[in-house]
């Protein structure tokens, strides 16, 4: 799934079955996560997972974040480097 957004500075919100809930630009990611009516299980980001993004994902119950780089922060979310 990452290959579809690689180099685009976009992000994918994925359901538990890894189907794409939504594709958004990186700047739209936080608002899209907040507005999502469907449970987001994982997020794939073509860029950096910031501290604010990781904290928002914790609040929304996201299990996995895949990104090129991560801010230094304590989290229970599984972080996957791309």
């Amino acid at each position: 799934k990452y290959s579809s957004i690689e180099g685009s500075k976009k992000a994918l919100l994925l359901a538990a079955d890894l189907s794409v809930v939504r594709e958004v630009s990186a700047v739209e990611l936080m608002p899209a996560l907040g507005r999502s009516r469907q449970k987001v299980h994982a997020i794939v980001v073509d860029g950096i997972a910031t501290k604010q993004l990781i904290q928002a994902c914790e609040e929304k119950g996201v299990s996995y974040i895949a990104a090129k780089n991560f801010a230094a922060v304590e989290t229970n979310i599984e972080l996957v480097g791309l």
Side-chain angles (χ1 to χ4, degrees):
K1 303 226 185 257
Y2 174 66
S3 61
S4 70
I5 62 164
E6 188 173 8
S8 68
K9 300 292 184 207
K10 290 190 174 185
L12 299 173
L13 282 66
L14 305 176
D17 64 359
L18 300 183
S19 63
V20 176
V21 173
R22 196 154 177 205
E23 181 177 324
V24 295
S25 68
V27 294
E28 272 287 303
L29 182 53
M30 296 277 287
L33 181 62
R35 287 191 310 264
S36 181
R37 285 180 249 126
Q38 189 173 348
K39 168 97 170 92
V40 176
H41 182 72
I43 291 180
V44 180
V45 184
D46 181 42
I48 299 168
T50 63
K51 180 178 179 179
Q52 294 84 358
L53 173 61
I54 294 169
Q55 289 172 337
C57 288
E58 281 184 336
E59 291 170 14
K60 281 294 198 172
V62 174
S63 300
Y64 298 92
I65 301 173
K68 288 186 172 185
N69 211 337
F70 300 91
V73 64
E74 288 284 322
T75 183
N76 294 327
I77 297 173
E78 187 76 31
L79 304 176
V80 181
L82 298 173

